[in-house]
């Protein structure tokens, strides 16, 4: 005790700290010991988990290497690749079709192709469908929508897997000009009824034409437009409720 009568407790603090340290070392050594049943069970579980992947097949995916696009260096110098309002112009050689095909396959996209075979124009339908099967969106899901007033004269054309033809009966008009002017109106109506639920993109084409070369997903985007001779592409994003002829 000090002269004031208070006990001296501070001398016990190092002893207490030393005893606590010994206890912790003792239990820690027992827990980490190789003879410890808890550590042994954990090692066994880890070894089992480490051996399980050995029975699985290791898949090695090839990495796709391609030159990255550069804004200031156009991919082609013989044609315009950009409009004055900075919209891209798609030409052969300005895109990598393998990357685009894989992108749209992962999206599981379905492309619709509409064609009007009214009156005598039904005679062009067979060649149109045959050439479309060879060149149009090969490797992707396609719905052909045939508008016609002559159901009995629609030809049977073998289609690839994942592609189907839907025949839609529409009334004929007295003049071909009326048929041409009402096409977008009828397409807009069927967009409301079924197209928006069945396809992700819609392409419109004339029946008296044929595909001579590849036409693929490079033409597709949420909103696009193109005029190539008589072939017309019109985009129908899912959030649009109608098509307007502009």
């Amino acid at each position: 005790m000090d002269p004031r009568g208070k006990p001296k407790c501070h001398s016990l603090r190092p002893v207490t700290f030393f005893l606590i340290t010994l206890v912790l070392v003792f239990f820690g050594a027992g827990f980490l010991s190789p003879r410890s049943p808890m550590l042994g069970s954990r090692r066994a579980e880890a070894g089992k988990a480490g051996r399980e992947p050995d029975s699985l097949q290791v898949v090695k995916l090839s990495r796709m290497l391609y030159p990255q696009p550069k804004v200031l260096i156009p991919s082609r110098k013989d044609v315009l690749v950009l409009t004055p309002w900075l919209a891209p112009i798609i030409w052969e050689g300005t895109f990598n079709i393998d990357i685009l095909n894989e992108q749209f396959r992962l999206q599981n996209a379905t492309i619709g192709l509409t064609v009007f075979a009214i009156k005598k124009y039904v005679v062009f339908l067979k060649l149109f469908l045959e050439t479309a099967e060879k060149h149009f969106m090969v490797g992707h899901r396609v719905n052909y929508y045939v508008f016609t007033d002559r159901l009995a004269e629609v030809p049977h054309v073998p289609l690839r897997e994942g592609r189907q033809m839907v025949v839609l009966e529409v009334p004929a008009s007295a003049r071909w000009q009326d048929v041409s002017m009402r096409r977008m109106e009828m397409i807009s109506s069927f967009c409301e009824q079924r197209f928006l639920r069945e396809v992700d993109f819609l392409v419109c084409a004339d029946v008296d034409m044929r595909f001579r070369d590849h036409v693929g997903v490079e033409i597709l985007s949420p909103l696009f437009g193109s005029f190539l001779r008589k072939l017309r592409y019109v985009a129908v994003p899912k959030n649009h409720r109608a098509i307007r002829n502009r």
Side-chain angles (χ1 to χ4, degrees):
M1 297 178 64
D2 58 4
R4 290 175 294 182
K6 294 183 179 180
K8 296 182 178 180
C9 298
H10 61 275
S11 61
L12 297 178
R13 291 178 182 177
V15 178
T16 305
F17 177 79
F18 179 74
L19 292 176
I20 293 174
T21 303
L22 286 178
V23 172
L24 292 177
V25 170
F26 175 79
F27 283 102
F31 179 80
L32 297 176
S33 173
R35 300 175 183 177
S36 173
M38 184 178 298
L39 183 61
S41 62
R42 291 190 177 183
R43 285 184 176 178
E45 293 175 1
K48 183 179 179 181
R51 289 193 299 270
E52 286 179 353
D54 293 341
S55 60
L56 301 178
Q57 183 180 0
V58 178
V59 179
K60 294 184 178 180
L61 299 178
S62 58
R63 184 178 179 183
M64 184 177 294
L65 300 177
Y66 59 94
Q68 296 295 318
K70 299 180 181 179
V71 176
L72 300 179
I73 303 178
S75 53
R76 287 184 58 174
K77 298 182 180 180
D78 57 328
V79 293
L80 289 176
V81 296
L82 201 66
T83 66
W85 54 92
L86 303 181
I89 303 175
I90 305 300
W91 301 87
E92 289 290 341
T94 62
F95 57 89
N96 189 315
I97 190 60
D98 296 327
I99 296 176
L100 293 177
N101 279 331
E102 188 62 25
Q103 175 186 348
F104 280 88
R105 288 193 188 100
L106 291 175
Q107 295 177 7
N108 198 26
T110 300
I111 301 97
L113 177 59
T114 67
V115 61
F116 282 76
I118 306 295
K119 292 187 175 181
K120 63 180 181 180
Y121 281 88
V122 73
V123 299
F124 298 104
L125 186 57
K126 186 174 186 297
L127 181 61
F128 175 88
L129 293 173
E130 289 176 344
T131 57
E133 279 296 285
K134 292 180 181 179
H135 302 295
F136 182 77
M137 303 293 169
V138 177
H140 297 277
R141 296 153 53 99
V142 173
N143 290 354
Y144 296 105
Y145 295 105
V146 178
F147 293 81
T148 184
D149 60 331
R150 301 184 180 184
L151 299 179
E153 299 182 32
V154 174
H156 174 72
V157 177
L159 304 179
R160 299 172 184 264
E161 183 180 358
R163 301 160 81 97
Q164 62 175 332
M165 181 171 64
V166 180
V167 181
L168 304 172
E169 186 176 11
V170 294
S173 300
R175 303 184 309 159
W176 66 267
Q177 294 93 335
D178 297 331
V179 175
S180 180
M181 293 177 63
R182 291 193 57 212
R183 283 193 300 181
M184 286 302 167
E185 179 185 349
M186 286 187 280
I187 291 175
S188 178
S189 175
F190 276 95
C191 278
E192 296 285 345
Q193 298 177 26
R194 60 186 304 169
F195 293 163
L196 290 173
R197 299 189 304 272
E198 297 178 1
V199 299
D200 301 289
F201 301 92
L202 192 65
V203 180
C204 308
D206 292 331
V207 70
D208 57 339
M209 57 151 284
R210 60 179 176 176
F211 294 87
R212 294 181 177 271
D213 206 342
H214 165 81
V215 178
V217 294
E218 68 275 3
I219 71 171
L220 303 178
S221 70
L223 185 60
F224 70 96
S226 176
F227 290 88
L228 177 59
R229 292 186 180 179
K230 299 190 68 176
L231 182 62
R232 298 182 178 89
Y233 306 116
V234 180
V236 185
K238 284 189 173 181
N239 57 346
H240 283 216
R241 303 302 300 171
I243 299 179
R244 290 182 294 177
N245 189 14
R246 296 183 178 181

